[in-house]
Amino acid sequence: MRVLVDVSAVPEQPVGAGVYIINLVGALDARAEVELELLARAGDRGRWRQVAPHSRVHARVPEARPLRLAWEQALAPRLARSLGVEVWHGPHYTLPLRYEGPKVVTIHDMTFFEHPEFHERAKVTFFQRMIREAARRASVLVAVSDDTARRVERILAPSVPVVVAPHGVDRSRYRPAADEATVEADMAALEAVGVRPPFLAFVGTLEPRKNIPGLVAAFSRVSRKHKDLHLVIAGREGWGAREVNAAIARSGLADRIHLLGYAEADLLPVLYRRAAAVVYPSHAEGFGLPALEALACGAPLVTSTGTPMAEVAGDAAVLVSPGDDTALADAVEWVLTDEGLAAGLREAGPRVAGRYSWGVCARAHIEAYQLAIGGPG
Amino acid sequence: MNQGNDHAVPAGTRVGLHVGQLLQRIPGGIGRYVGILHDGLRRRGVDVISFAAGAAPAGLGAVGPSASSPSAPDTEGYVDLGWPRGGLRYELWHRLRRPALPIEVDLVHAPSLAVPPPGGAPLVVTVHDLAFLRLPQYFTIRGLRFHERGLELARSEAAVVVAPSEFVAGELVAEGFEAARVHVAHHGIDDPGKRSATEVDAVLRRLGVERPFMLFVGTLEPRKGLDTLVEGHRILHRARHEVSLALVGARGWGRLPRLDRPGVVQLGNVPDDDLDALYRAATALAYPSEYEGFGLPALEAMVRGCPVVTSSATSLPEVVGSAGRLVDPSDPEQLATVLTEILDDADLRAILAKAGRARARNFTWDASVNAHLAAYAAAVARVS
């Protein structure tokens, strides 16, 4: 099966959707039944060569976003035809609308419709239109969680199948510390970024949807009792990061809050493993990959009810209604003081995370591709 | 995970396949896998030399289009290793790595964690699950030591490890196996064809099972979620006296809930034909297992249009996808609720039956044999 995956939306410092695309492509590349053609940004060839050594990389897409999206619509279909691809996969909301072959598109979340306030206005208009059109023209839709699938069904009422393909986690990297050597290496890695336990960890881009001001408020409540506790925030500044900085300034705890910026992949498992708790209080997510990564590392997790994170974690996390800062502080306090609870969560997390892998994710995509082509099934 | 790229196994490769599982008191799902793999490889013209310590097991069925009688055991190409037999031989294999195999082969495949010394040949080991690491409380000390030692041998000696699901592959990677060494080969399922209602009814009468009933299939042992199953049925049975629970499977070991209770029918092991009828007649398969490496009963049910209610843990979501209903394996209330929904809603039953049949078509033994051949090819290539 010859599949074209448009990987041109993956930024240099991937999070969430970008991590999904890289790992999906890597897992598909290893499968004998799939021949991959990757459509990448010009200048991004090296990375994809490494991610997918058995695939062909077409590094032809312009760098700048408006040009990139225009190129996808105008020129990409001809390239796909000339390569003889059987199915086109747009892994990040968009498709070349005029491409007439079988098409699969991944929808990550429906917040462009449900929570436009969490996005830049220009993006909202574009993505709302694009998602509607893509859903209308795609042969099959991929949703990254049951939660997203339900929202897609409700808002777009698509006439084509919706295949759920949950994200995975690489458990060779995201795992509990098994031995003394790992613990020592972890401590050295933390030392290098100026962090010392005990700390709470948050991983994610600094943007309104992530509810970081709520996290800072909760931290400032628990920090009164836990004088040596720090808060580590790992993520690049998105739009609206100013509010985060203002919240930190207001808290008067700037000396105990570490803004690490974008954390390289090697540092993430260390943060999850060594955190007293990972707190991920997002208002809305399509999947919420940091929550799964934290569970795989055996971190006690506090996250939001009514989100895909709650679905993934089940009983392996403490759930809090997003926006309720007092409840968030109470939940964190509970994890910090109830050793039995924390130990139970540390034990349950890896077990729950075990059913998610990029291999399972790739298999679900192959089913979606077959469905789109009209093959067996 | 590595799926191998489409190299073929070099022509003339002789594969030594350990079939000792078929001589076990309860061959179980692994026994079925070994028999089908053996037959499938032979059908592809692979030169298979099967071996175990004992007389040729009956489970090695007809092989190849040339076999004249499909039910006669094929003893050609089978080597009886002789004494010592059974557990003692496995102890010697695992502790001393001898006695050596008296066969000349280019590759040795251990389809379970009884790992023979491969001599100089590349070794392939199938790891069906890591339940012994994750739920050690459900194993005897002896069983634990045996599996741990087998896994260590797989880690230190196997050129390639085969896992029956992405879930188990992930478990292996989490235990430090390099992803490139782990191949996934899903189990498959054959199209069972059609069967008349009269035939199905006759089987039910003979077994003393009355509709409507929920079906459980699997060795009766603690990790299969029997506590949840029996309690879930008790809740259901309180409101719906007519619904029984039929348990198929040999009694394994360990502490089990009381099974002699109202509405519970214990059938023990049943012949394949009877099991086929039970799947066709059951309202649903109730399979709330805590840990599976694959979960063949779920697939056997889906292919026959029997709605599947199984647990949201381990490999089971990967097998049933969205074609079944997933429940928390520790929550009997939820199990009872979902079973009641299926019982009361004919439309839902029809939707699940259709989705299950469609999903089951994704799992063929042909594809499984292909994946094994790719694993063999990779093993030969890694070593040579």
Side-chain angles (χ1 to χ4, degrees):
Chain A
M1 174 173 21
R2 191 177 293 273
V3 182
L4 183 148
V5 183
D6 177 2
V7 297
S8 61
V10 180
E12 216 139 295
Q13 299 183 327
V15 293
V19 174
Y20 148 74
I21 296 171
I22 289 171
N23 283 283
L24 170 67
V25 162
L28 288 172
D29 179 72
R31 314 259 325 188
E33 71 265 45
V34 177
E35 281 179 74
L36 272 189
E37 309 279 351
L38 299 176
L39 191 50
R41 278 179 287 117
D44 204 14
R45 180 187 302 277
R47 168 165 62 176
W48 296 105
R49 274 270 165 78
Q50 266 194 335
V51 168
H54 305 105
S55 304
R56 284 207 284 176
V57 181
H58 308 275
R60 317 248 294 251
V61 185
E63 290 279 353
R65 187 161 67 198
L67 275 181
R68 167 159 70 77
L69 293 168
W71 194 93
E72 178 185 43
Q73 294 306 322
L75 299 174
R78 196 180 332 146
L79 175 68
R81 279 192 294 272
S82 76
L83 295 172
V85 306
E86 291 166 86
V87 58
W88 176 295
H89 179 196
H92 190 250
Y93 299 108
T94 65
L95 279 179
L97 298 175
R98 285 185 307 161
Y99 176 66
E100 59 287 345
K103 296 182 277 296
V104 173
V105 68
T106 302
I107 297 182
H108 291 266
D109 63 66
M110 293 298 282
T111 56
F112 289 111
F113 295 88
E114 295 175 300
H115 294 287
E117 73 276 16
F118 292 154
H119 296 281
E120 289 162 274
R121 189 172 284 175
K123 272 196 182 179
V124 170
T125 320
F126 171 80
F127 276 103
Q128 277 198 4
R129 199 186 130 249
M130 195 62 194
I131 291 169
R132 272 191 203 289
E133 283 294 317
R136 211 155 55 102
R137 296 179 199 231
S139 327
V140 171
L141 306 180
V142 170
V144 300
S145 60
D146 286 329
D147 182 88
T148 294
R150 283 194 298 272
R151 291 170 200 272
V152 166
E153 300 274 6
R154 201 178 65 234
I155 295 167
L156 300 175
S159 55
V160 295
V162 181
V163 171
V164 178
H167 290 348
V169 60
D170 175 358
R171 289 166 73 207
S172 67
R173 297 204 302 112
Y174 293 93
R175 58 177 172 185
D179 46 42
E180 271 310 303
T182 316
V183 176
E184 270 175 40
D186 282 0
M187 295 315 247
L190 289 178
E191 186 85 52
V193 292
V195 172
R196 202 170 293 167
F199 62 88
L200 306 177
F202 166 89
V203 173
T205 303
L206 279 55
E207 57 184 351
R209 187 154 62 102
K210 304 289 182 190
N211 187 22
I212 301 171
L215 168 63
V216 171
F219 173 67
S220 83
R221 290 175 84 103
V222 295
S223 66
R224 276 177 234 145
K225 200 169 133 199
H226 301 270
K227 301 268 183 234
D228 54 348
L229 188 69
H230 289 232
L231 171 63
V232 176
I233 297 176
R236 106 191 136 74
E237 293 200 357
W239 77 286
R242 215 182 319 160
E243 265 186 67
V244 175
N245 292 319
I248 293 172
R250 272 199 312 275
S251 72
L253 290 164
D255 54 331
R256 285 164 67 182
I257 299 179
H258 306 247
L259 288 172
L260 297 187
Y262 179 82
E264 291 303 329
D266 290 345
L267 185 60
L268 292 180
V270 178
L271 290 176
Y272 294 131
R273 276 198 291 260
R274 301 268 69 92
V278 170
V279 189
Y280 194 59
S282 269
H283 290 291
E285 291 291 333
F287 183 87
L289 196 53
L292 176 59
E293 292 170 344
L295 291 171
C297 291
L301 172 68
V302 179
T303 188
S304 308
T305 53
T307 62
M309 293 86 79
E311 269 176 28
V312 167
D315 292 339
V318 179
L319 302 179
V320 175
S321 173
D324 186 341
D325 299 348
T326 317
L328 186 62
D330 290 347
V332 171
E333 176 69 30
W334 188 26
V335 173
L336 290 176
T337 48
D338 186 336
E339 279 172 30
L341 171 73
L345 294 174
R346 284 191 186 280
E347 191 259 329
R351 199 174 62 230
V352 166
R355 64 176 266 215
Y356 297 88
S357 78
W358 294 111
V360 173
C361 179
R363 275 182 199 272
H365 280 81
I366 290 172
E367 284 172 32
Y369 301 156
Q370 282 169 342
L371 210 54
I373 300 170
Chain B
M1 274 337 91
N2 201 314
Q3 304 296 324
N5 289 304
D6 41 351
H7 346 260
V9 188
T13 303
R14 285 159 306 167
V15 174
L17 179 67
H18 177 227
V19 297
Q21 185 72 25
L22 294 170
L23 299 172
Q24 297 280 328
R25 185 173 65 85
I26 307 172
I30 297 182
R32 190 169 282 227
Y33 157 75
V34 174
I36 291 174
L37 176 65
H38 170 272
D39 297 359
L41 290 169
R42 286 233 172 142
R43 217 170 277 134
R44 289 297 175 79
V46 177
D47 192 355
V48 181
I49 297 168
S50 56
F51 62 87
L60 296 188
V63 281
S66 60
S68 48
S69 156
S71 56
D74 178 300
T75 48
E76 207 181 308
Y78 173 79
V79 175
D80 178 355
L81 301 176
W83 296 94
R85 294 188 166 171
L88 176 57
R89 173 172 291 267
Y90 295 167
E91 283 292 309
L92 292 176
W93 273 356
H94 280 191
R95 284 170 195 275
L96 307 176
R97 303 308 280 141
R98 29 179 241 247
L101 296 177
I103 53 173
E104 282 275 316
V105 289
D106 302 305
L107 180 142
V108 172
H109 182 186
S112 72
L113 283 181
V115 184
L123 175 68
V124 174
V125 178
T126 302
V127 181
H128 290 270
D129 60 65
L130 295 185
F132 59 97
L133 288 184
R134 302 290 176 254
L135 302 169
Q137 68 273 27
Y138 292 161
F139 287 78
T140 59
I141 293 289
R142 227 183 122 197
L144 269 182
R145 295 289 163 270
F146 171 78
H147 284 103
E148 280 168 1
R149 181 76 182 126
L151 187 68
E152 276 322 302
L153 291 171
R155 194 198 303 272
S156 56
E157 295 185 16
V160 163
V161 179
V162 174
S165 61
E166 298 289 349
F167 164 70
V168 173
E171 292 273 88
L172 287 166
V173 169
E175 290 304 317
F177 284 74
E178 314 88 89
R181 200 153 59 114
V182 182
H183 283 237
V184 174
H186 276 160
H187 294 329
I189 191 83
D190 294 318
D191 180 359
K194 293 213 185 307
R195 205 141 174 225
S196 76
T198 356
E199 261 182 83
V200 171
D201 290 346
V203 172
L204 294 191
R205 259 198 313 280
R206 180 157 46 74
L207 296 176
V209 175
E210 279 180 39
R211 292 187 176 93
F213 69 96
M214 304 297 173
L215 179 65
F216 168 86
V217 180
T219 304
L220 305 183
E221 56 182 344
R223 80 169 153 104
K224 298 290 175 177
L226 289 165
D227 283 332
T228 299
L229 177 67
V230 169
E231 177 60 14
H233 175 257
R234 196 185 63 80
I235 297 167
L236 173 67
H237 196 254
R238 253 187 342 224
R240 311 291 293 269
H241 275 321
E242 75 282 14
V243 187
S244 57
L245 170 66
L247 303 174
V248 172
R251 200 172 172 110
W253 73 282
R255 196 200 62 78
L256 295 179
R258 266 193 61 193
L259 298 176
D260 55 332
R261 23 187 347 147
V264 177
V265 191
Q266 296 184 64
L267 298 172
N269 262 336
V270 302
D272 286 355
D273 269 1
D274 290 0
L275 182 57
D276 172 85
L278 288 165
Y279 279 125
R280 290 171 197 265
T283 304
L285 177 75
Y287 191 51
S289 186
E290 284 181 47
Y291 189 111
E292 292 296 324
F294 185 81
L296 202 52
L299 190 51
E300 291 174 339
M302 285 194 295
V303 79
R304 293 171 175 88
C306 172
V308 175
V309 181
T310 188
S311 86
S312 57
T314 68
S315 63
L316 290 159
E318 180 182 337
V319 172
V320 302
S322 50
R325 298 291 297 272
L326 301 178
V327 298
D328 180 339
S330 62
D331 188 344
E333 296 274 350
Q334 195 192 6
L335 177 65
T337 307
V338 172
L339 290 176
T340 311
E341 272 172 43
I342 293 176
L343 190 66
D344 289 342
D345 187 343
D347 289 343
L348 177 59
R349 284 202 300 277
I351 290 168
L352 291 173
K354 187 166 167 235
R357 284 203 179 90
R359 173 120 194 128
R361 280 198 287 274
N362 291 329
F363 296 86
T364 64
W365 283 116
D366 230 28
S368 183
V369 171
N370 280 342
H372 281 91
L373 290 174
Y376 293 169
V380 172
R382 275 181 92 92
V383 171
S384 58

